[in-house]
Amino acid sequence: MTKKEQPATDEQMIKFYQTGTFTVGNRLLDEEFRTVQATSERSNSIDSGHRACQGCGQALGARYALDTAMRVTDNKIIAANATGCLEVFTTPYPETAWSIPWIHSLFGNVASVASGIAATLKAKGDTTTRVIAQGGDGGTTDIGFACLSGMFDRNDDVLYICYDNGGYMNTGVQRSSATPGGARTSTSMPVGEHPGSSFTTGKFLPAIAMAHEIPYVATASVHDLHDLERKIEKAMSFRGARYIQINVPCPLGWGSEPAKTIKLARIGVESGLVPLFEAEHGDLTNSTKIRYQVPVEEYLQLQRRFAHILKPANVDQLETIRAIAEKNIKRYQLL
Amino acid sequence: MLYQMSGSIAVAKAIALCRPDVVPCYPITPQTHIVEHLSVLVKSGQLENCTYENVESEFASMSFCIGSSAAGARTYTATASQGLLYMMEAVYNASGLGLPIVMTLGNRAIGAPINIWNDHSDAMSVRDAGWIQLFVESNQQAVDVHIQAFKLAEALSIPVMVNMDGFILTHAITRVDLPEQEQVDQFLPPFVPRQKLDTEAPLSIGAMVGPDAFTEVRYLAHHRQKEALAIIEQQAKEFAKIFGRDSGGLVKSYFSEDADIVLVAMGSVIGTMQDLVNDLRNEGYSVGILSLRSFRPFPANAICNALKNAKQVIVFEKSFAVGMGGILASEIHMATQRFVGDKLIIKSVIGGLGGRTITKKSLRKLIDSANKNELDDEVFMDLDGTTVVRELKRQQEEQSSGPVAENILRDIGVVSASKTH
Amino acid sequence: MTIQHKPFAITLDVGTSHLNKTGSWRSMRPVYIDRLPPCNKACPTGENIQGWLSLAEEKNYRGAWELLTKDNPFPAIMGRVCYHPCENTCNRGQLDLPVGINSVERFIGEQGLINNWQFKAGEDTGKKIMVIGAGPAGLSSAYHLRRFGHQVTIYEASEKPGGMMRYGIPKYRLPREKLNAEIYRIQKMGVEFKLNHPVKDILETKKQGGFDAVVIGIGAQQSHFISFPGQSSIPVLDALTVLRDTENENPNQLIGKVVVYGGGNSAMDVARTAIRMGAQDVTVISRQEIDNMSAHPFEIKETLEEGAQIISLRSIKAINGCEITLELLKTSEEHHSGHSFVVETGEVESIEADVLVLAIGQVIDRQLFENIAPIEISNESIQIDNTMKTGLDGVFAAGDVVPSQRSVTTALGHGKKVARAIDAWLNGQSYQPAPQNEVATFDKMEPWYYSDAPRTIQPHLDAVRRKNGFAEVVGDLDQDHAKYEARRCMSCGNCFECDNCYGICPDNAITKLGPGKGFEFKYDYCKGCGMCESECPCGAIAMEAEDI
């Protein structure tokens, strides 16, 4: 079951929606266009009582993604989880916040664990139950990279979701290969001549996933629920290996106000620093356009991890970050 | 039915008879032929309803097993040596989560120096990982114990590692009696998981446990292994009833009850020792053998029972803890002290490292020395004393002597003279 | 299948996290609140604009009309002539353009007329109120007083009711059938109209009629007049007279070269009337720069479209024969309290004129009050207390006659307020307006969530057609456009159940109660992160400190 495409423009003029598809719900929208999160019947895959920090973007992103997958599959989801915040804050003995079948094994092996689950379903001829693997950016782009690449290569029937908050937040905010250049982490402190995380050539996993030519790759953000849910639904319509990377702000690691989590996700995208796009079988098929473009400074200034970037002495770094945004905008046609 | 086949092929066929649901594999010598043959069995349809998958590493392989087993699949894989080390984190995890995976370990030395031949260093490296570790003496036992391993693993929800000596067993073509499918089905019922990832009955597997319950979790794992002691014995009896063969069990005694000197060992070396003991007993020596078939759980009672009349025990093992000595020897020492007391003399012999051949001649020398009460407490069998002494001397003379292994090889003429400094 | 005991501690049953009440982490608690929409605050009649827009958007036009007319009895009229201060403060204006509240109001008003919806009077109280003047203030007071159930009699000096709505606003802005229909509706509530009945003596009339209270709503109907040096040979008229004559179809002198002096809306009305009457050319002389003229920009724009000329920064110095001498003014460098003002330059020029119309403001007619000492007049207005009461007990005043902005809308607002004040006074109480909620200012909103929606432009009669008569210049919205425009409302300060809070709470600490019932916080689990407040599009959530 997938959502119909939105009505054509002519009709839209008459069927105008006050908040369109930007808010979580909209009583003026036809039911089929409303989000899963707007319904009282959503599965709450992660339920109340979990121990995520105030304003945790990952707790939100995970519930969004899993609830959508649950709806699409008629509640036939098994999830595997890498070690990390999501695992720790949901399942400290004796309480679990998960309402779905869920397993945590290790930090670097979630893709393989998920592949193993999928292999079981295949062996038993179960075609309705689907498997989701989830990990943070460290567990995905660093320690879990090999297993993930193997999963892609075999085209195992797993949707891998990476909740990207740009660092090892669970262990106390260390740098990962997904940490943005210039960002302060506890292993890339703002000291010395080139403060913050070094501007490396980068390890942008969605592009690496695309290089594997797996059926579906997408990036999403917790600020745009309709977009995120659509991508999860799309991903579930494919068989084989799929990869979705969700940008999830981390108040602790980013040095931001908990209340600003959604806003940060939003302006990260609107500044061009977090491109949202989709790719099928290795080819870019769609990008989510920027609605109201904002300068990167607006994004940076809400985060203490970038405080040093905005000092006059580090204007070069600021320029580098601007250039990254511009490159994204061009490469993914975000405007 | 009787066949002439290599140990690896025999094991692969035995695994197929156990109807595994999922088999991930990654190549490493000397176990590779097992999973190679399983791939043929799956592809050819001889093993049905089984997902066979080439994964990208041993770490992935064991992780794959964790996932599949947690999802309710009878799961099998095989590895050896470096591969086991590479999957180590997942090895601990599989037992911690209580997943009844069966894995063959084609026992092989661990580098550096890299060495593909047999010893037990790999098995010993996971002795605290919480797995049940069984050792087989022959390819027939390898077939039989693998069948028992699934039943044992699933009865207790603990993973089981079947250790078979690399090359010596895996590559040896011997006569094997392969059971019929009906026999195996009779012995091994379908897998009923203790816990399972099930959308109809969701649960969370793999919680974080803090100081408040961690000790209890570990104790319960220990307790479960102790429960295995009885079950292993019981299943061996059950197996004998259906298949008409003695295979498995905790220990196997070969004249050990009435012998003054008892050789204790694990794996294929038992065969060589049996030959020797036959000879020696014909000559009137009071010699016996105790084969340790279950290393984990450690059958302390059975060992003590078997050794209660012995005067001298020679623990022969194909690995050791560098800086400490024989691992098995010290474990037997600890076990027997409690029951037999100080009167039992325990000698530790290390041999067969990195595939060095264990000859009857060398073993006989041990017995002879023991008979004369001349055997050292710790013996490195067939150690080339001249080489060692020369190397030690060189080390004394030079601040930095370079890699020990290379120096030794140079001395014995393997590395070309041009590299001499 | 027999499932044995699950592994201790490592494997957990679902639902167990509910035992962990994370609400204890909280130092701030979110609460649902209602804030006052800026349109509502700015509306002189205090219309619940958001409320009736929402009903209109659901096509519940009757509901919208009922809600709107609770505050303002003239939606069809005000949908045309209100200068809509609501739109000036509309938060949507900071996003794209303000919601076309006025055009939707007009649409609702039209629905009322088409469907002949009527007002209901309140249950009879036996009290009698006398209202002087059937202008917007008087009519509005009468309407609201009738709703309270009081008997009302309106005394009107003119032949027809409507006051400035009839005699000051030209037909092309307010067609008379609309005006008549909405006034008639008030009459049908049982309000007695005594037309051609100028009141000579307030107290005497009150006594004779047995009235319990009086509302003075006579407006400011006398034109301000100044005389200029020189020997004028042209007629010098005042704006009100010109407009009244036009309404009464009396002959007037708007022929040839018409010069209008003034920069307000009356000046524009006169200029545009003159064009329609066939003047040869029409020139407006304004002391202010165009941008600073008090006339509304759309009035200026339409005046120019219709062919009038506006000469700004000029004052009339003298009139000699057919020539008017103008002195050039300039904007002073100095600014006083944000307003620029003009100074004379000494430089002069002249223009020819056949008639000069002065549109430089109106004053009240003091005659009626001169013998009633307690009614105090100062600054050209009757002085009232904060319950609209004059110095004389039982006598109230409303509209242009009291200090005010002197607009129809303000007068209607006065009518509502004075009715409430009289009702309270009749019950021996003093009227106290209900306390207002905090205003939902733009900074409390998260505008990203609103769809892009350009404002609907109402159809306008082509300029060339306007000049030939008094046909209405601005047209109606159709149903779809009215709905569209209504949906542009951002519901500032009041929950419209967008589900954002419910959806974005990372702790699932919000219960959705169902359509129309809103939401409830689960304080057992709410950690107080404040995301719901930040991401509420309309600012209907506030964070309050916990007592710790």
Side-chain angles (χ1 to χ4, degrees):
Chain A
M1 161 174 124
T2 50
K3 284 182 188 173
K4 284 190 207 157
E5 292 304 311
Q6 286 286 358
T9 338
D10 278 0
E11 203 173 339
Q12 191 81 37
M13 280 302 292
I14 309 298
K15 267 190 137 183
F16 173 70
Y17 308 120
Q18 182 169 243
T19 54
T21 53
F22 299 110
T23 45
V24 168
N26 182 341
R27 70 203 155 84
L28 302 175
L29 281 176
D30 289 344
E31 297 242 1
E32 61 196 303
F33 297 130
R34 297 187 202 173
T35 66
V36 177
Q37 289 303 314
T39 64
S40 306
E41 301 80 37
R42 71 185 191 204
S43 36
N44 285 329
S45 306
I46 303 178
D47 216 339
S48 304
H50 65 71
R51 294 160 193 230
C53 303
Q54 288 182 328
C56 173
Q58 190 183 29
L60 202 54
R63 195 187 73 222
Y64 284 176
L66 272 295
D67 281 4
T68 311
M70 285 287 274
R71 183 170 84 170
V72 177
T73 60
D74 203 13
N75 302 331
K76 294 279 194 188
I77 289 290
I78 295 174
N81 216 118
T83 307
C85 285
L86 182 60
E87 167 262 322
V88 170
F89 74 65
T90 53
T91 55
Y93 162 80
E95 296 148 4
T96 176
W98 294 95
S99 58
I100 57 174
W102 177 94
I103 184 169
H104 158 246
S105 171
L106 295 168
F107 197 4
N109 73 348
V110 67
S112 300
V113 171
S115 292
I117 298 167
T120 300
L121 299 173
K122 187 176 161 198
K124 296 192 180 287
D126 180 347
T127 55
T128 55
T129 305
R130 307 294 299 275
V131 186
I132 289 180
Q134 7 177 31
D137 52 287
T140 302
T141 68
D142 290 342
I143 196 170
F145 184 64
C147 287
L148 181 59
S149 177
M151 185 200 107
F152 288 164
D153 160 55
R154 294 185 301 272
N155 200 23
D156 290 334
D157 189 19
V158 174
L159 167 60
Y160 190 105
I161 303 174
C162 170
Y163 304 105
D164 176 15
N165 57 20
Y168 293 91
M169 304 318 186
N170 191 43
T171 46
V173 195
Q174 292 85 16
R175 182 190 182 275
S176 82
S177 58
T179 299
R184 174 197 72 183
T185 70
S186 48
T187 50
S188 64
M189 291 300 277
V191 290
E193 201 182 338
H194 304 290
S197 177
S198 52
F199 288 88
T200 58
T201 52
K203 189 172 178 182
F204 188 51
L205 213 95
I208 299 171
M210 283 166 68
H212 286 76
E213 305 211 345
I214 56 172
Y216 186 71
V217 174
T219 56
S221 165
V222 285
H223 83 280
D224 193 345
L225 183 61
H226 281 264
D227 187 67
L228 187 153
E229 288 193 356
R230 186 181 59 74
K231 285 167 177 167
I232 299 286
E233 287 198 27
K234 186 92 172 271
M236 297 311 287
S237 73
F238 288 95
R239 290 278 168 179
R242 291 142 287 145
Y243 179 77
I244 292 184
Q245 184 164 304
I246 304 177
N247 181 44
V248 289
C250 168
L252 173 81
W254 294 15
S256 57
E257 280 178 51
K260 294 275 195 291
T261 293
I262 300 273
K263 178 172 185 163
L264 269 173
R266 181 163 56 235
I267 60 179
V269 169
E270 301 279 65
S271 67
L273 287 172
V274 181
L276 300 187
F277 58 88
E278 293 170 273
E280 293 176 28
H281 305 288
D283 295 325
L284 196 68
T285 54
N286 183 39
S287 49
T288 306
K289 305 292 178 202
I290 290 172
R291 262 191 100 203
Y292 301 111
Q293 194 180 2
V294 298
V296 294
E297 292 90 318
E298 203 170 303
Y299 176 65
L300 303 177
Q301 74 194 7
L302 292 174
Q303 306 172 54
R304 284 198 303 279
R305 65 174 175 160
F306 290 119
H308 57 282
I309 301 269
L310 298 171
K311 290 181 183 160
N314 294 319
V315 69
D316 287 357
Q317 290 199 333
L318 181 60
E319 281 306 323
T320 309
I321 291 174
R322 272 199 200 113
I324 291 167
E326 277 160 26
K327 189 170 177 183
N328 283 339
I329 288 168
K330 207 171 148 196
R331 174 178 284 168
Y332 298 104
Q333 297 146 40
L334 301 177
L335 286 177
Chain B
M1 257 174 77
L2 294 174
Y3 297 90
Q4 281 288 334
M5 57 172 66
S6 76
S8 293
I9 306 296
V11 167
K13 289 188 187 297
I15 295 301
L17 288 169
C18 296
R19 305 182 189 276
D21 299 302
V22 175
V23 179
C25 75
Y26 187 80
I28 183 166
T29 306
Q31 62 78 27
T32 315
H33 293 169
I34 301 174
V35 290
E36 279 173 6
H37 192 65
L38 273 166
S39 113
V40 173
L41 293 175
V42 172
K43 272 263 170 87
S44 64
Q46 293 172 72
L47 172 52
E48 293 176 313
N49 303 321
C50 173
T51 308
Y52 178 93
E53 203 66 75
N54 289 282
V55 298
E56 73 284 356
S57 72
E58 287 89 356
F59 177 65
S61 183
M62 183 45 62
S63 300
F64 201 100
C65 290
I66 288 168
S68 63
S69 182
R74 180 170 287 164
T75 302
Y76 171 81
T77 192
T79 191
S81 181
Q82 316 295 140
L84 180 70
L85 294 195
Y86 195 57
M87 68 164 64
M88 183 67 92
E89 192 190 8
V91 169
Y92 271 76
N93 191 251
S95 61
L97 293 177
L99 299 172
I101 298 157
V102 171
M103 176 165 71
T104 307
L105 192 65
N107 299 114
R108 170 183 149 182
I110 287 172
I114 188 165
N115 175 299
I116 62 165
W117 294 277
N118 168 246
D119 72 22
H120 288 172
S121 305
D122 53 3
M124 290 300 119
S125 73
V126 288
R127 65 181 186 269
D128 304 328
W131 284 57
I132 287 177
Q133 287 180 286
L134 307 176
F135 282 78
V136 299
E137 298 150 23
S138 65
N139 287 345
Q140 185 63 55
Q141 274 188 32
V143 166
D144 297 346
V145 169
H146 274 100
I147 294 167
Q148 293 183 42
F150 281 106
K151 189 169 169 122
L152 178 63
E154 289 164 16
L156 288 161
S157 220
I158 312 180
V160 176
M161 188 184 296
V162 180
N163 290 271
M164 72 189 283
D165 287 320
F167 294 104
I168 299 166
L169 294 180
T170 56
H171 288 57
I173 296 171
T174 59
R175 196 182 76 167
V176 176
D177 186 357
L178 271 184
E180 300 301 319
Q181 185 67 60
E182 296 74 41
Q183 289 176 297
V184 176
D185 288 348
Q186 191 193 343
F187 177 76
L188 180 64
F191 174 32
V192 179
R194 185 183 183 205
Q195 54 177 348
K196 183 183 157 189
L197 294 166
D198 183 355
T199 55
E200 299 301 317
L203 40 75
S204 298
I205 300 176
M208 184 179 75
V209 179
D212 50 342
F214 197 78
T215 307
E216 288 69 26
V217 168
R218 299 306 293 158
Y219 176 78
L220 288 168
H222 185 51
H223 180 80
R224 201 151 268 253
Q225 285 244 353
K226 290 193 162 180
E227 282 178 339
L229 291 167
I231 296 173
I232 291 168
E233 286 288 78
Q234 182 201 318
Q235 286 187 350
K237 280 189 196 122
E238 209 179 312
F239 185 87
K241 211 180 279 174
I242 294 170
F243 298 85
R245 274 195 301 280
D246 159 57
S247 267
L250 297 171
V251 295
K252 182 68 184 173
S253 178
Y254 198 73
F255 303 118
S256 67
E257 292 85 352
D258 64 347
D260 290 341
I261 298 174
V262 178
L263 284 160
V264 179
M266 302 190 295
S268 62
V269 73
I270 296 293
T272 316
M273 286 177 170
Q274 279 175 342
D275 269 5
L276 174 67
V277 166
N278 287 342
D279 294 352
L280 289 172
R281 285 191 85 93
N282 285 339
E283 292 172 29
Y285 286 93
S286 179
V287 185
I289 305 165
L290 183 68
S291 170
L292 206 57
R293 291 180 171 177
S294 170
F295 175 63
R296 289 288 184 270
F298 194 71
N301 283 345
I303 291 168
C304 291
N305 237 355
L307 299 179
K308 62 176 181 271
N309 299 320
K311 297 199 170 72
Q312 208 174 154
V313 171
I314 303 170
V315 181
F316 180 90
E317 51 192 309
K318 291 182 174 182
S319 66
F320 74 107
V322 178
M324 193 282 274
I327 298 159
L328 193 54
S330 62
E331 291 196 356
I332 286 180
H333 195 269
M334 182 182 148
T336 53
Q337 262 220 323
R338 205 181 304 161
F339 300 97
V340 187
D342 283 342
K343 67 177 171 47
L344 188 66
I345 297 162
I346 297 172
K347 303 290 183 185
S348 172
V349 178
I350 316 297
L353 297 183
R356 180 164 292 183
T357 311
I358 300 161
T359 61
K360 257 165 72 176
K361 192 177 149 201
S362 299
L363 288 172
R364 179 167 187 137
K365 266 168 57 187
L366 295 175
I367 303 292
D368 287 342
S369 298
N371 244 339
K372 291 183 234 161
N373 286 324
E374 285 174 1
L375 189 63
D376 287 343
D377 286 346
E378 182 182 87
V379 177
F380 281 80
M381 196 172 84
D382 297 344
L383 182 75
D384 181 349
T386 321
T387 303
V388 169
V389 167
R390 189 166 50 225
E391 179 62 18
L392 289 174
K393 191 168 166 247
R394 197 203 319 273
Q395 283 181 18
Q396 271 184 340
E397 288 165 0
E398 297 175 21
Q399 277 283 323
S400 169
S401 64
V404 173
E406 199 172 302
N407 289 337
I408 292 172
L409 290 172
R410 189 186 307 112
D411 288 342
I412 58 176
V414 176
V415 176
S416 77
S418 63
K419 284 190 106 180
T420 316
H421 55 257
Chain C
M1 184 190 276
T2 53
I3 296 284
Q4 305 172 35
H5 293 298
K6 291 183 279 283
F8 167 71
I10 305 164
T11 299
L12 304 172
D13 287 315
V14 300
T16 39
S17 67
H18 286 171
L19 298 169
N20 187 29
K21 302 281 166 65
T22 51
S24 62
W25 300 15
R26 194 174 58 234
S27 60
M28 298 287 283
R29 74 160 48 202
V31 288
Y32 289 106
I33 57 160
D34 290 314
R35 289 195 169 99
L36 183 66
C39 53
N40 188 327
K41 177 155 176 76
C43 178
T45 69
E47 281 181 29
N48 181 359
I49 295 165
Q50 197 175 84
W52 59 254
L53 278 175
S54 157
L55 292 164
E57 164 258 300
E58 288 169 4
K59 292 199 175 181
N60 179 358
Y61 301 134
R62 179 70 193 249
W65 184 86
E66 297 279 359
L67 185 60
L68 196 166
T69 55
K70 265 174 73 177
D71 300 304
N72 167 8
F74 296 144
I77 298 171
M78 299 313 292
R80 289 173 165 80
V81 305
C82 182
Y83 292 124
H84 42 73
C86 52
E87 294 188 23
N88 299 339
T89 60
C90 174
N91 279 331
R92 179 124 211 163
Q94 297 188 49
L95 189 60
D96 39 41
L97 285 167
V99 175
I101 297 167
N102 193 237
S103 61
V104 182
E105 178 171 44
R106 172 167 165 174
F107 175 84
I108 300 294
E110 285 304 302
Q111 297 300 312
L113 295 178
I114 292 164
N115 296 297
N116 195 26
W117 294 328
Q118 296 296 331
F119 298 137
K120 268 205 198 89
E123 209 177 312
D124 192 11
T125 59
K127 303 287 183 188
K128 289 179 72 182
I129 319 293
M130 160 185 169
V131 174
I132 309 171
L139 290 168
S140 172
S141 339
Y143 163 75
H144 287 288
L145 286 163
R146 257 331 264 143
R147 285 181 66 123
F148 281 118
H150 307 310
Q151 292 289 329
V152 182
T153 304
I154 304 180
Y155 290 82
E156 169 58 48
S158 301
E159 188 187 341
K160 290 177 178 173
M164 288 298 283
M165 295 189 289
R166 184 183 302 278
Y167 297 110
I169 298 172
K171 287 176 189 167
Y172 58 83
R173 282 183 55 210
L174 177 57
R176 295 307 182 238
E177 69 272 19
K178 312 289 180 193
L179 176 67
N180 294 338
E182 290 205 323
I183 293 175
Y184 181 60
R185 198 188 264 144
I186 289 178
Q187 199 177 345
K188 280 186 78 176
M189 289 175 88
V191 172
E192 189 186 356
F193 281 77
K194 288 187 181 292
L195 302 172
N196 294 315
H197 249 84
V199 173
K200 304 284 185 211
D201 183 333
I202 296 175
L203 298 180
E204 183 55 30
T205 314
K206 181 187 177 216
K207 194 174 159 194
Q208 279 182 4
F211 293 111
D212 296 287
V214 178
V215 179
I216 300 169
I218 59 167
Q221 302 241 17
Q222 292 196 341
S223 283
H224 203 61
F225 206 86
I226 40 176
S227 47
F228 302 99
Q231 292 295 313
S232 171
S233 62
I234 58 167
V236 178
L237 312 170
D238 73 84
L240 280 188
T241 306
V242 168
L243 294 171
R244 178 178 281 269
D245 283 349
T246 311
E247 176 64 20
N248 290 338
E249 298 183 0
N250 292 338
N252 63 43
Q253 295 161 286
L254 297 178
I255 44 167
K257 293 176 179 157
V258 177
V259 173
V260 184
Y261 190 40
N265 292 315
S266 297
M268 301 304 130
D269 287 341
V270 171
R272 298 175 69 183
T273 298
I275 289 167
R276 284 167 174 76
M277 299 303 290
Q280 186 187 335
D281 64 43
V282 178
T283 307
V284 177
I285 306 294
S286 164
R287 287 173 54 85
Q288 300 291 338
E289 274 190 299
I290 284 212
D291 290 347
N292 290 332
M293 280 162 62
S294 63
H296 286 276
F298 78 87
E299 287 262 33
I300 296 171
K301 180 171 165 278
E302 288 176 7
T303 306
L304 290 170
E305 277 172 6
E306 289 166 14
Q309 227 194 336
I310 296 176
I311 300 177
S312 55
L313 288 173
R314 302 285 190 281
S315 69
I316 296 180
K317 292 300 281 184
I319 309 171
N320 286 305
C322 292
E323 229 165 58
I324 299 175
T325 308
L326 305 174
E327 178 170 8
L328 275 68
L329 309 174
K330 66 173 184 185
T331 309
S332 166
E333 299 296 314
E334 289 172 58
H335 289 255
H336 288 280
S337 58
H339 298 286
S340 59
F341 64 100
V342 293
V343 291
E344 294 173 346
T345 62
E347 209 177 319
V348 294
E349 61 184 25
S350 64
I351 60 166
E352 280 183 18
D354 294 314
V355 58
L356 172 65
V357 185
L358 301 180
I360 50 177
Q362 290 114 259
V363 293
I364 65 167
D365 182 356
R366 298 159 167 262
Q367 245 184 338
L368 197 54
F369 322 109
E370 268 167 359
N371 299 326
I372 310 173
I375 299 181
E376 185 197 338
I377 295 171
S378 62
N379 293 331
E380 290 297 331
S381 304
I382 295 180
Q383 297 304 303
I384 48 170
D385 66 11
N386 56 10
T387 69
M388 312 288 289
K389 194 149 63 71
T390 67
L392 187 61
D393 202 31
V395 178
F396 297 76
D400 288 0
V401 76
V402 303
S404 79
Q405 287 199 333
R406 291 193 173 171
S407 75
V408 177
T409 322
T410 308
L412 294 186
H414 282 183
K416 175 174 132 184
K417 188 177 174 187
V418 81
R420 289 181 178 182
I422 288 170
D423 189 63
W425 180 82
L426 289 170
N427 290 309
Q429 289 158 357
S430 179
Y431 170 65
Q432 294 294 336
Q436 287 191 336
N437 289 334
E438 180 197 359
V439 178
T441 45
F442 193 64
D443 60 305
K444 302 274 192 300
M445 317 270 295
E446 181 41 75
W448 187 86
Y449 290 106
Y450 295 95
S451 295
D452 305 322
R455 181 184 170 124
T456 308
I457 305 300
Q458 281 174 277
H460 277 60
L461 197 64
D462 290 326
V464 64
R465 308 241 179 259
R466 291 184 220 157
K467 296 179 189 175
N468 300 331
F470 285 85
E472 192 170 17
V473 172
V474 181
D476 288 316
L477 292 183
D478 63 22
Q479 255 195 30
D480 288 331
H481 284 109
K483 184 170 84 174
Y484 172 93
E485 201 54 36
R487 284 183 180 175
R488 292 183 66 243
C489 172
M490 304 203 293
S491 192
C492 308
N494 294 290
C495 174
F496 60 100
E497 293 175 36
C498 74
D499 295 325
N500 252 19
C501 53
Y502 176 68
I504 63 160
C505 174
D507 296 292
N508 312 15
I510 291 172
T511 307
K512 180 171 173 167
L513 300 172
K517 297 185 190 128
F519 305 88
E520 210 170 70
F521 288 107
K522 291 186 223 170
Y523 291 115
D524 272 357
Y525 299 108
C526 166
K527 293 172 186 161
C529 69
M531 251 157 70
C532 51
E533 186 213 22
S534 294
E535 299 305 319
C536 176
C538 65
I541 297 175
M543 298 299 289
E544 289 177 352
E546 285 284 355
D547 300 323
I548 302 169

